[in-house]
Amino acid sequence: MHKMAKKKKTSHFDSAFVKMDGIKVYKSNIDDASNKPNGKTEVEMKLGQKIGYNLEEKKCKVELALALSLLQADKTTIASASFEASFHFQVSNMDDLLDSSPESIEIDPSLPAHLVGMSYSTFRGIVFERLAGTQFRNFVLPVINPYEVLKEK
């Protein structure tokens, strides 16, 4: 006997309906003291995200926070950097991405994933540019799976 696969809902997300209204970098700290690396180093990265919605105005805001530490082999921190930024979006077909019932409103999961992906891609460029000329100059933020980032708290 075969089990019927649960039919997936079709997403109505379409990036053609998304407009980035603005970017605000409100924290950019780099502590690149005179500590020079002694041997092999590695970068430890922590990324946080928060998403807010104004459904009536069809707006979304993604906030990203990043902390970087440049570590020597003995795990001593020799440099650090932190950045926080917000990315503002207008989603003209927001109503198509909502599933409303009297008890709740569900947002199509592809909307936050795509907004985090767009925000993070932009953030990568901002951070790369700001790290030029520091001990992090050769570090490029890795490509991420936005669905996985959304699962992390």
Side-chain angles (χ1 to χ4, degrees):
M1 183 172 184
H2 295 286
K3 284 187 173 182
M4 295 282 286
K6 203 174 191 182
K7 190 174 180 180
K8 283 180 98 175
K9 275 184 156 180
T10 303
S11 175
H12 293 284
F13 179 83
D14 183 344
S15 60
F17 294 100
V18 178
K19 177 185 170 211
M20 187 179 281
D21 277 344
I23 302 167
K24 182 177 181 185
V25 178
Y26 48 91
K27 181 179 180 184
S28 179
N29 294 328
I30 301 170
D31 181 4
D32 191 37
S34 59
N35 299 333
K36 296 295 175 205
N38 185 7
K40 188 175 171 139
T41 61
E42 68 178 84
V43 176
E44 181 181 88
M45 177 181 128
K46 294 179 182 166
L47 177 68
Q49 57 75 27
K50 186 167 51 170
I51 302 176
Y53 302 96
N54 181 329
L55 302 179
E56 196 172 287
E57 293 185 23
K58 301 180 180 185
K59 293 185 178 194
C60 304
K61 178 171 78 170
V62 175
E63 294 180 336
L64 296 178
L66 175 71
L68 300 173
S69 297
L70 184 62
L71 306 173
Q72 293 192 146
D74 66 358
K75 301 296 183 195
T76 303
T77 300
I78 56 175
S80 61
S82 59
F83 304 91
E84 292 181 17
S86 60
F87 302 84
H88 305 264
F89 297 92
Q90 183 77 43
V91 182
S92 60
N93 73 330
M94 180 73 84
D95 295 338
D96 296 338
L97 303 170
L98 304 177
D99 188 8
S100 299
S101 70
E103 301 85 39
S104 67
I105 297 175
E106 286 187 39
I107 297 172
D108 183 328
S110 59
L111 175 63
H114 280 86
L115 295 180
V116 166
M118 288 181 223
S119 300
Y120 181 76
S121 293
T122 305
F123 200 43
R124 290 178 76 215
I126 292 168
V127 170
F128 183 78
E129 184 273 327
R130 296 206 178 181
L131 293 176
T134 73
Q135 293 185 69
F136 291 100
R137 68 185 156 276
N138 294 322
F139 178 70
V140 177
L141 290 176
V143 174
I144 60 159
N145 177 340
Y147 288 96
E148 291 301 316
V149 171
L150 288 167
K151 288 180 186 176
E152 299 171 9
K153 291 292 173 193

